[in-house]
Amino acid sequence: MPVKFRKTLIADERYEAAGVLDVNNDGAPDIVSGAFWYEGPDFRKRHFMGEVQAVGEYYDDFSCIPLDVNGDGWIDVVTGGWFGKSIRWRQNPGDPDKQWTDHIIAETGNVETTRAWDVDGDGRIEIVPNTPGKPLVVYKLVVDAAGKGTGRFTSHVIRKEKQGHGLGFGDINGDGRGDLVLLNGWLQAPQDGLKGEWIWRPEFDLGHASVPILVADVNGDGLNDIIVGQGHNYGLHWWEQQRGPDGKRTWIQHVIDPDNSQYHDMQWVDIDGDGRGELVTGKRYRAHCGKDPGAFDPVGIYYFKWTGEGFVKQVVDWGPTRVGTGCGIHFAVADLTGDSRLDIVAPGKDGLYIFFNEGAQ
């Protein structure tokens, strides 16, 4: 049965990124979005973190990645922005009445958004920005002998050519190592993590691809497939990986949803609690400030469930502006209430909302 969600407005703000983390170390999850953090468990009390640069309709805050960067026991957040042309970490002061301090990790060029993946397989996340006009670079937190962050990062160039719009991560070839996916091919991970040579495999063209591009075994055949939305156009597809008798890899494109646009962020999670993954995604409202195809269509958040033959679309929220809600450029999925069900934290230019998961009805 479909899952029922209870929609709750948290703040009428225009920030497009949100993260879930325990800001004040009280054991309850909190929400960070833009210039504020919202204190759990009811998320009504908000605390000012510090100004975020505003440029037109945008704020220069295109991700929210929880990470204790300096090893002091307080979780910080990593973000980046198109206009500031950098990735940076915001230092949690450990005091709800104090503002957070921003630190530059790297001057990267325009950042579409940033993601965190364990690229080298050592059990710790690395920071991976999508910089469309620049090379693909991974930033690794330097830790001390106790495994605590030192506040410093090392940079590792994976591919010198321009990335383009779109970035994903997952094991494409089944060797147990995570590969990196771009819009027009994938990079096969070396055996020795960030130190070896990544092999370029130009096997497809995914268009104006989402961030992330998801890697998941959609049909259960033992081969990982690709799920991709069109971040600034219509379309949501999955690309089926097939292997010939000679081991040659081919890709077959399948339509998931051709009728909605601006699918920019997405997650593959077990949203209905049946032990299998579902695709959770939605429209990034006014991704290019009304200049994208379908920009003025209804706004929505959905989850797509694999039936064994195709995807079935379940509506979490839908409607015209100020009725339906999108999910920004970096939304979060987490159990906010301790009921073992995953809730959706949806930021965007149309406000910050929580969709509380009330289970199958």
Side-chain angles (χ1 to χ4, degrees), residues 3-6 271 339 341-343 355-359:
V3 173
K4 181 180 179 181
F5 291 87
R6 173 169 52 88
I271 201 71
D339 62 4
R341 294 193 291 261
L342 294 176
D343 310 297
F355 291 87
F356 288 103
N357 184 337
E358 299 191 329

Side-chain angles (χ1 to χ4, degrees), residues 37 47-50 91-101:
W37 69 273
H47 303 266
F48 182 64
M49 298 170 59
Q91 183 177 349
N92 183 345
D95 183 336
D97 297 321
K98 290 185 177 180
Q99 293 189 28
W100 297 39
T101 304

